[in-house]
Amino acid sequence: MSADGQDDRSDGERWSLPDTRKPIPDLVADRILELVREGILAPGEKLITEPELARRFGVARSSVRSGLQRLQAQGVVEVNRGRGWFVSATPSRTTAEVMQERMAAREFDVRDVMEVRIALEGAAAGLAAARASAGQRDDIVKLSRIDQAADPGDSAAMLKADEEFHGAIVEASGNEYLKSLYGMLTPLVAEWREHSFTSAEVHDRSALDHVQVAVQIRRGDEIGARMAMATHLLGLYSGIRRQVDVASEKRAPATVSTYIEIRDSPMFEDPPDGS
């Protein structure tokens, strides 16, 4: 940067990503953070759209979104629903950022991350069933239908629908700390998620699971929502375990009973208001 505070790099250099083996969402987050710290992106400034960021970085939009979610958890950027992403008014190095760096350095096993994700999103689904507004419930149902209708031949569309569905449930939980934890966790499974929608069968099974989750949230069934979400994610978790040498794994895998008490049971009658 020059003495007058202007960025001396060309536009291409400013948005280029280094050629390393680091996950792409991490590279995106690191570059945006660098631009914020250098003052190229000012506090309170609105970022260009996700599709435009993806074009400039030369990466998939899902990678951009995962990178932004990581920065959101760090307090560097914030999202204004309907308006887009903004640089936080007072971006700074936070405990969340330090934790992210430690997590990235250790390169956690994706199975470990998924076990935590199941617990986190199960709790989010239960809270959403208890707290979501009528509008949020309708949005979750609508997103489940969009997911069902996604073209199984378009992996980007399927991934976007999946991310928006899960994100809406976390938002509807009403728990700010849970949302921050989710923002730190999603970049760690981003690469696996990008490669998980490999067939129409996988998409259809996932979409049907989403419908079950949406139905339980809409009817306010906290246990039912938690069960549906845990069961859905355990299916993905089982798929991950099949990709590794399960025979050599010495620990027992997570199961439904890891997250749901045997005595728990969903509602079988309609709610009093008939919704």
Side-chain angles (χ1 to χ4, degrees):
M1 194 151 64
S2 62
D4 61 1
Q6 298 298 313
D7 186 20
D8 295 326
R9 291 172 293 181
S10 68
D11 191 63
E13 291 174 327
R14 185 180 303 168
W15 298 100
S16 64
L17 299 176
D19 184 15
T20 73
R21 299 184 66 181
K22 198 171 184 179
I24 291 176
D26 290 351
L27 295 177
V28 170
D30 291 347
R31 179 48 54 88
I32 294 176
L33 180 58
E34 177 186 355
L35 294 174
V36 170
R37 285 177 171 167
E38 290 180 353
I40 308 305
L41 296 175
E45 181 177 343
K46 185 179 185 298
L47 299 181
I48 55 179
T49 64
E50 288 181 16
E52 179 61 16
L53 281 170
R55 187 190 69 78
R56 294 198 185 189
F57 283 127
V59 301
R61 182 177 175 180
S62 57
S63 295
V64 168
R65 175 166 294 185
S66 295
L68 289 170
Q69 288 172 336
R70 170 183 168 178
L71 293 176
Q72 181 184 25
Q74 297 171 8
V76 176
V77 300
E78 54 194 38
V79 64
N80 186 316
R81 204 164 184 183
R83 295 186 61 202
W85 292 92
F86 292 78
V87 178
S88 297
T90 55
S92 61
R93 183 176 176 80
T94 65
T95 301
E97 182 179 352
V98 174
M99 182 178 177
Q100 270 286 350
E101 291 177 356
R102 293 178 64 186
M103 291 170 75
R106 181 169 172 181
E107 298 180 347
F108 286 108
D109 189 314
V110 69
R111 291 166 296 176
D112 291 344
V113 178
M114 277 299 297
E115 288 174 359
V116 175
R117 182 186 174 193
I118 295 165
L120 190 69
E121 291 204 53
L127 288 169
R131 298 175 175 173
S133 66
Q136 287 175 319
R137 294 175 196 270
D138 288 343
D139 284 345
I140 290 169
V141 171
K142 184 187 300 183
L143 288 168
S144 73
R145 291 171 179 164
I146 292 173
D147 186 27
Q148 275 193 306
D151 180 0
D154 186 346
S155 59
M158 290 191 294
L159 182 61
K160 179 176 182 291
D162 180 77
E163 289 178 341
E164 291 184 348
F165 176 78
H166 285 272
I169 291 173
V170 171
E171 180 68 29
S173 74
N175 186 304
E176 293 300 321
Y177 187 54
L178 189 151
K179 286 189 274 186
S180 293
L181 290 175
Y182 181 75
M184 287 190 286
L185 183 147
T186 50
L188 300 178
V189 295
E191 186 174 356
W192 182 86
R193 290 179 76 178
E194 286 185 27
H195 296 91
S196 63
F197 294 100
T198 55
S199 67
E201 290 76 18
V202 171
H203 166 259
D204 291 346
R205 185 167 60 250
S206 177
L208 286 173
D209 286 349
H210 286 181
V211 170
Q212 292 301 315
V213 175
V215 166
Q216 300 306 326
I217 290 175
R218 188 177 186 278
R219 68 204 302 262
D221 187 343
E222 299 171 49
I223 295 174
R226 187 155 47 90
M227 280 184 168
M229 180 62 80
T231 302
H232 166 53
L233 293 177
L234 278 163
L236 304 179
Y237 169 78
S238 297
I240 291 173
R241 292 188 67 250
R242 283 195 294 270
Q243 296 176 19
V244 300
D245 185 6
V246 179
S248 66
E249 191 171 28
K250 297 180 180 178
R251 65 183 183 180
T255 64
V256 172
S257 59
T258 306
Y259 301 98
I260 307 295
E261 292 185 16
I262 295 176
R263 292 173 296 176
D264 288 346
S265 59
M267 298 187 304
F268 292 101
E269 69 281 354
D270 288 332
D273 60 3
S275 59

